Amino acid sequence: MRKEVLISGFGGQGVILASVILGRAAAVYEGLYAVQTQSYGPESRGGASKAEVVISDEPIDYPKTLRPDYAVFLSQEAYQKYLTHLKENAILIIEKDLIPHRNEEVEKKLKLKVYALPLTKIAEETTGLSLTMNILALGLLVALTEIVSREAIEKAVLDAVPKGTEQINLKALHKGFELGEKALKGEL
């Protein structure tokens, strides 16, 4: 089992933190092999940011994603740049308000399962902080894919977020789980 995850957006959205948390959940709490890589533009905020996580039950021979099984796109640039890289039947989560221009032809051709939600707005409504959108997206990803267990991702979130923000981040994660459950039932 080799699963590849691509998370991309712009600096300041927590793309890299989300990927580190996912990799930690897999490696530390699930006993799987995981590799996390990242790249970002020279700007610390607003530049392009991409993180990849490869998770497997056997040693990983190549640390980068080849054809991601799952992707989270949080900006128009990420969507345009990486959409065609996804594996056929991949699950794609997008920040609907930040990706107004979609290529439905490519989405259909690749038979993608697309979940387009206003993630930033939902995070603000849930926790009062748009910054928790990355954790909300992780919860959604885990609920939709079961790539790691909910317990593992919860523990990894608690390890990684700044002290004093644990409860707010868990609230965002649980909202992501809830949205994923609704999506799987066709209620979104």
Side-chain angles (χ1 to χ4, degrees):
M1 170 219 63
R2 177 187 168 103
K3 292 292 177 190
E4 300 180 352
V5 182
L6 172 62
I7 305 172
S8 186
F10 46 82
Q13 288 181 308
V15 165
I16 291 164
L17 177 61
S19 68
V20 167
I21 290 170
L22 181 59
R24 178 186 294 255
V28 176
Y29 297 110
E30 297 281 21
L32 296 167
Y33 293 92
V35 179
Q36 184 270 339
T37 56
Q38 61 201 38
S39 64
Y40 40 87
E43 317 87 345
S44 60
R45 293 217 179 271
S49 180
K50 174 178 92 161
E52 300 167 283
V53 184
V54 177
I55 297 172
S56 180
D57 56 0
E58 50 190 52
I60 296 167
D61 55 358
Y62 184 68
K64 306 287 265 173
T65 61
L66 300 167
R67 301 295 279 176
D69 302 278
Y70 313 122
V72 179
F73 293 155
L74 305 175
S75 71
Q76 187 69 51
E77 181 185 357
Y79 179 89
Q80 286 170 213
K81 197 170 184 179
Y82 302 117
L83 180 66
T84 58
H85 296 210
L86 301 182
K87 183 182 275 186
E88 197 170 281
N89 297 307
I91 290 176
L92 171 59
I93 297 168
I94 67 172
E95 197 335 330
K96 175 170 111 168
D97 292 344
L98 298 176
I99 304 173
H101 308 292
R102 291 177 47 195
N103 188 336
E104 292 179 18
E105 190 178 308
V106 170
E107 288 178 12
K108 194 177 264 183
K109 182 180 168 205
L110 290 174
K111 300 180 189 125
L112 302 178
K113 294 178 194 86
V114 181
Y115 299 91
L117 299 165
L119 300 170
T120 306
K121 183 178 171 204
I122 295 168
E124 282 175 2
E125 290 169 354
T126 303
T127 67
L129 290 172
S130 60
L131 290 173
T132 59
M133 181 261 290
N134 61 333
I135 304 299
L136 181 128
L138 265 184
L140 178 58
L141 177 70
V142 168
L144 291 171
T145 67
E146 298 181 348
I147 190 163
V148 295
S149 70
R150 291 180 184 201
E151 297 75 28
I153 201 78
E154 280 181 5
K155 289 176 184 172
V157 164
L158 291 173
D159 285 348
V161 299
K163 294 291 169 234
T165 68
E166 296 93 345
Q167 290 314 306
I168 284 174
N169 280 290
L170 281 181
K171 196 173 183 183
L173 185 71
H174 293 154
K175 183 65 175 183
F177 292 161
E178 181 189 315
L179 291 169
E181 289 165 13
K182 284 183 176 176
L184 289 172
K185 291 177 191 167
E187 294 172 8
L188 284 183

PDB file of all heavy atoms in Angstrom, residues 10-32:
ATOM      1  N   PHE A  10      -0.796  28.673  -0.767  1.00  0.00           N
ATOM      2  CA  PHE A  10       0.221  29.704  -0.678  1.00  0.00           C
ATOM      3  C   PHE A  10       0.715  29.828   0.756  1.00  0.00           C
ATOM      4  O   PHE A  10       0.072  29.362   1.698  1.00  0.00           O
ATOM      5  CB  PHE A  10      -0.248  31.046  -1.249  1.00  0.00           C
ATOM      6  CG  PHE A  10      -1.610  31.499  -0.825  1.00  0.00           C
ATOM      7  CD1 PHE A  10      -1.813  32.133   0.402  1.00  0.00           C
ATOM      8  CD2 PHE A  10      -2.713  31.325  -1.659  1.00  0.00           C
ATOM      9  CE1 PHE A  10      -3.070  32.566   0.781  1.00  0.00           C
ATOM     10  CE2 PHE A  10      -3.976  31.762  -1.279  1.00  0.00           C
ATOM     11  CZ  PHE A  10      -4.146  32.387  -0.056  1.00  0.00           C
ATOM     12  N   GLY A  11       1.910  30.411   0.886  1.00  0.00           N
ATOM     13  CA  GLY A  11       2.540  30.552   2.192  1.00  0.00           C
ATOM     14  C   GLY A  11       1.614  31.221   3.190  1.00  0.00           C
ATOM     15  O   GLY A  11       0.908  32.162   2.853  1.00  0.00           O
ATOM     16  N   GLY A  12       1.611  30.714   4.408  1.00  0.00           N
ATOM     17  CA  GLY A  12       0.764  31.272   5.452  1.00  0.00           C
ATOM     18  C   GLY A  12      -0.513  30.484   5.680  1.00  0.00           C
ATOM     19  O   GLY A  12      -1.224  30.729   6.648  1.00  0.00           O
ATOM     20  N   GLN A  13      -0.809  29.521   4.800  1.00  0.00           N
ATOM     21  CA  GLN A  13      -2.027  28.720   4.955  1.00  0.00           C
ATOM     22  C   GLN A  13      -1.800  27.454   5.783  1.00  0.00           C
ATOM     23  O   GLN A  13      -2.737  26.713   6.027  1.00  0.00           O
ATOM     24  CB  GLN A  13      -2.594  28.325   3.580  1.00  0.00           C
ATOM     25  CG  GLN A  13      -3.231  29.463   2.826  1.00  0.00           C
ATOM     26  CD  GLN A  13      -3.782  28.991   1.487  1.00  0.00           C
ATOM     27  OE1 GLN A  13      -3.085  28.371   0.694  1.00  0.00           O
ATOM     28  NE2 GLN A  13      -5.045  29.291   1.258  1.00  0.00           N
ATOM     29  N   GLY A  14      -0.584  27.188   6.171  1.00  0.00           N
ATOM     30  CA  GLY A  14      -0.324  26.006   6.987  1.00  0.00           C
ATOM     31  C   GLY A  14      -0.187  24.719   6.203  1.00  0.00           C
ATOM     32  O   GLY A  14      -0.376  23.632   6.741  1.00  0.00           O
ATOM     33  N   VAL A  15       0.153  24.836   4.926  1.00  0.00           N
ATOM     34  CA  VAL A  15       0.310  23.671   4.051  1.00  0.00           C
ATOM     35  C   VAL A  15       1.367  22.713   4.605  1.00  0.00           C
ATOM     36  O   VAL A  15       1.143  21.509   4.712  1.00  0.00           O
ATOM     37  CB  VAL A  15       0.687  24.138   2.618  1.00  0.00           C
ATOM     38  CG1 VAL A  15       1.222  23.000   1.766  1.00  0.00           C
ATOM     39  CG2 VAL A  15      -0.510  24.800   1.950  1.00  0.00           C
ATOM     40  N   ILE A  16       2.517  23.260   4.962  1.00  0.00           N
ATOM     41  CA  ILE A  16       3.624  22.417   5.415  1.00  0.00           C
ATOM     42  C   ILE A  16       3.311  21.807   6.779  1.00  0.00           C
ATOM     43  O   ILE A  16       3.531  20.616   6.996  1.00  0.00           O
ATOM     44  CB  ILE A  16       4.947  23.207   5.380  1.00  0.00           C
ATOM     45  CG1 ILE A  16       5.288  23.448   3.898  1.00  0.00           C
ATOM     46  CG2 ILE A  16       6.060  22.472   6.103  1.00  0.00           C
ATOM     47  CD1 ILE A  16       6.313  24.486   3.621  1.00  0.00           C
ATOM     48  N   LEU A  17       2.746  22.599   7.681  1.00  0.00           N
ATOM     49  CA  LEU A  17       2.369  22.059   8.993  1.00  0.00           C
ATOM     50  C   LEU A  17       1.382  20.901   8.829  1.00  0.00           C
ATOM     51  O   LEU A  17       1.527  19.858   9.467  1.00  0.00           O
ATOM     52  CB  LEU A  17       1.761  23.148   9.880  1.00  0.00           C
ATOM     53  CG  LEU A  17       1.272  22.672  11.258  1.00  0.00           C
ATOM     54  CD1 LEU A  17       2.415  22.088  12.086  1.00  0.00           C
ATOM     55  CD2 LEU A  17       0.589  23.804  12.005  1.00  0.00           C
ATOM     56  N   ALA A  18       0.398  21.058   7.963  1.00  0.00           N
ATOM     57  CA  ALA A  18      -0.588  19.992   7.736  1.00  0.00           C
ATOM     58  C   ALA A  18       0.095  18.715   7.260  1.00  0.00           C
ATOM     59  O   ALA A  18      -0.222  17.613   7.727  1.00  0.00           O
ATOM     60  CB  ALA A  18      -1.646  20.442   6.729  1.00  0.00           C
ATOM     61  N   SER A  19       1.062  18.853   6.359  1.00  0.00           N
ATOM     62  CA  SER A  19       1.740  17.660   5.834  1.00  0.00           C
ATOM     63  C   SER A  19       2.617  17.008   6.899  1.00  0.00           C
ATOM     64  O   SER A  19       2.702  15.782   6.973  1.00  0.00           O
ATOM     65  CB  SER A  19       2.556  18.014   4.590  1.00  0.00           C
ATOM     66  OG  SER A  19       3.653  18.838   4.930  1.00  0.00           O
ATOM     67  N   VAL A  20       3.263  17.820   7.727  1.00  0.00           N
ATOM     68  CA  VAL A  20       4.087  17.279   8.810  1.00  0.00           C
ATOM     69  C   VAL A  20       3.205  16.503   9.794  1.00  0.00           C
ATOM     70  O   VAL A  20       3.561  15.405  10.240  1.00  0.00           O
ATOM     71  CB  VAL A  20       4.858  18.418   9.519  1.00  0.00           C
ATOM     72  CG1 VAL A  20       5.472  17.946  10.836  1.00  0.00           C
ATOM     73  CG2 VAL A  20       5.932  18.981   8.599  1.00  0.00           C
ATOM     74  N   ILE A  21       2.053  17.054  10.118  1.00  0.00           N
ATOM     75  CA  ILE A  21       1.115  16.385  11.034  1.00  0.00           C
ATOM     76  C   ILE A  21       0.655  15.053  10.445  1.00  0.00           C
ATOM     77  O   ILE A  21       0.628  14.032  11.138  1.00  0.00           O
ATOM     78  CB  ILE A  21      -0.086  17.305  11.354  1.00  0.00           C
ATOM     79  CG1 ILE A  21       0.371  18.477  12.225  1.00  0.00           C
ATOM     80  CG2 ILE A  21      -1.205  16.517  12.037  1.00  0.00           C
ATOM     81  CD1 ILE A  21      -0.680  19.577  12.398  1.00  0.00           C
ATOM     82  N   LEU A  22       0.310  15.046   9.155  1.00  0.00           N
ATOM     83  CA  LEU A  22      -0.139  13.810   8.511  1.00  0.00           C
ATOM     84  C   LEU A  22       0.973  12.759   8.521  1.00  0.00           C
ATOM     85  O   LEU A  22       0.733  11.592   8.852  1.00  0.00           O
ATOM     86  CB  LEU A  22      -0.603  14.094   7.081  1.00  0.00           C
ATOM     87  CG  LEU A  22      -1.117  12.887   6.302  1.00  0.00           C
ATOM     88  CD1 LEU A  22      -2.308  12.232   7.001  1.00  0.00           C
ATOM     89  CD2 LEU A  22      -1.493  13.303   4.873  1.00  0.00           C
ATOM     90  N   GLY A  23       2.183  13.167   8.177  1.00  0.00           N
ATOM     91  CA  GLY A  23       3.315  12.235   8.179  1.00  0.00           C
ATOM     92  C   GLY A  23       3.578  11.682   9.572  1.00  0.00           C
ATOM     93  O   GLY A  23       3.838  10.489   9.746  1.00  0.00           O
ATOM     94  N   ARG A  24       3.498  12.550  10.588  1.00  0.00           N
ATOM     95  CA  ARG A  24       3.707  12.123  11.976  1.00  0.00           C
ATOM     96  C   ARG A  24       2.624  11.134  12.401  1.00  0.00           C
ATOM     97  O   ARG A  24       2.916  10.129  13.059  1.00  0.00           O
ATOM     98  CB  ARG A  24       3.699  13.325  12.905  1.00  0.00           C
ATOM     99  CG  ARG A  24       3.861  12.953  14.372  1.00  0.00           C
ATOM    100  CD  ARG A  24       3.704  14.165  15.268  1.00  0.00           C
ATOM    101  NE  ARG A  24       4.764  15.112  15.069  1.00  0.00           N
ATOM    102  CZ  ARG A  24       5.766  15.294  15.913  1.00  0.00           C
ATOM    103  NH1 ARG A  24       5.821  14.614  17.024  1.00  0.00           N
ATOM    104  NH2 ARG A  24       6.696  16.178  15.662  1.00  0.00           N
ATOM    105  N   ALA A  25       1.376  11.411  12.038  1.00  0.00           N
ATOM    106  CA  ALA A  25       0.276  10.504  12.392  1.00  0.00           C
ATOM    107  C   ALA A  25       0.547   9.104  11.832  1.00  0.00           C
ATOM    108  O   ALA A  25       0.364   8.101  12.530  1.00  0.00           O
ATOM    109  CB  ALA A  25      -1.054  11.042  11.863  1.00  0.00           C
ATOM    110  N   ALA A  26       1.020   9.055  10.585  1.00  0.00           N
ATOM    111  CA  ALA A  26       1.276   7.766   9.938  1.00  0.00           C
ATOM    112  C   ALA A  26       2.481   7.047  10.558  1.00  0.00           C
ATOM    113  O   ALA A  26       2.403   5.866  10.894  1.00  0.00           O
ATOM    114  CB  ALA A  26       1.504   7.970   8.444  1.00  0.00           C
ATOM    115  N   ALA A  27       3.585   7.781  10.702  1.00  0.00           N
ATOM    116  CA  ALA A  27       4.834   7.151  11.150  1.00  0.00           C
ATOM    117  C   ALA A  27       4.870   6.873  12.646  1.00  0.00           C
ATOM    118  O   ALA A  27       5.235   5.775  13.073  1.00  0.00           O
ATOM    119  CB  ALA A  27       6.020   8.031  10.753  1.00  0.00           C
ATOM    120  N   VAL A  28       4.479   7.856  13.446  1.00  0.00           N
ATOM    121  CA  VAL A  28       4.604   7.716  14.896  1.00  0.00           C
ATOM    122  C   VAL A  28       3.439   6.941  15.497  1.00  0.00           C
ATOM    123  O   VAL A  28       3.635   6.082  16.350  1.00  0.00           O
ATOM    124  CB  VAL A  28       4.742   9.106  15.571  1.00  0.00           C
ATOM    125  CG1 VAL A  28       4.765   8.989  17.082  1.00  0.00           C
ATOM    126  CG2 VAL A  28       5.988   9.825  15.061  1.00  0.00           C
ATOM    127  N   TYR A  29       2.224   7.241  15.044  1.00  0.00           N
ATOM    128  CA  TYR A  29       1.049   6.670  15.709  1.00  0.00           C
ATOM    129  C   TYR A  29       0.401   5.497  14.988  1.00  0.00           C
ATOM    130  O   TYR A  29      -0.406   4.789  15.570  1.00  0.00           O
ATOM    131  CB  TYR A  29       0.024   7.763  15.986  1.00  0.00           C
ATOM    132  CG  TYR A  29       0.580   8.792  16.943  1.00  0.00           C
ATOM    133  CD1 TYR A  29       0.889  10.067  16.523  1.00  0.00           C
ATOM    134  CD2 TYR A  29       0.843   8.454  18.267  1.00  0.00           C
ATOM    135  CE1 TYR A  29       1.434  10.993  17.406  1.00  0.00           C
ATOM    136  CE2 TYR A  29       1.388   9.363  19.156  1.00  0.00           C
ATOM    137  CZ  TYR A  29       1.681  10.634  18.710  1.00  0.00           C
ATOM    138  OH  TYR A  29       2.226  11.541  19.583  1.00  0.00           O
ATOM    139  N   GLU A  30       0.732   5.288  13.710  1.00  0.00           N
ATOM    140  CA  GLU A  30       0.180   4.140  12.984  1.00  0.00           C
ATOM    141  C   GLU A  30       1.241   3.088  12.689  1.00  0.00           C
ATOM    142  O   GLU A  30       0.927   2.016  12.194  1.00  0.00           O
ATOM    143  CB  GLU A  30      -0.458   4.588  11.653  1.00  0.00           C
ATOM    144  CG  GLU A  30      -1.634   5.518  11.807  1.00  0.00           C
ATOM    145  CD  GLU A  30      -2.936   4.821  12.168  1.00  0.00           C
ATOM    146  OE1 GLU A  30      -2.911   3.688  12.695  1.00  0.00           O
ATOM    147  OE2 GLU A  30      -3.986   5.419  11.939  1.00  0.00           O
ATOM    148  N   GLY A  31       2.511   3.418  12.935  1.00  0.00           N
ATOM    149  CA  GLY A  31       3.582   2.449  12.675  1.00  0.00           C
ATOM    150  C   GLY A  31       3.825   2.200  11.203  1.00  0.00           C
ATOM    151  O   GLY A  31       4.356   1.165  10.815  1.00  0.00           O
ATOM    152  N   LEU A  32       3.438   3.158  10.354  1.00  0.00           N
ATOM    153  CA  LEU A  32       3.654   3.030   8.916  1.00  0.00           C
ATOM    154  C   LEU A  32       4.941   3.760   8.532  1.00  0.00           C
ATOM    155  O   LEU A  32       5.519   4.490   9.329  1.00  0.00           O
ATOM    156  CB  LEU A  32       2.465   3.638   8.159  1.00  0.00           C
ATOM    157  CG  LEU A  32       1.117   2.951   8.369  1.00  0.00           C
ATOM    158  CD1 LEU A  32      -0.013   3.816   7.829  1.00  0.00           C
ATOM    159  CD2 LEU A  32       1.108   1.582   7.707  1.00  0.00           C
TER     160      LEU A  32
END
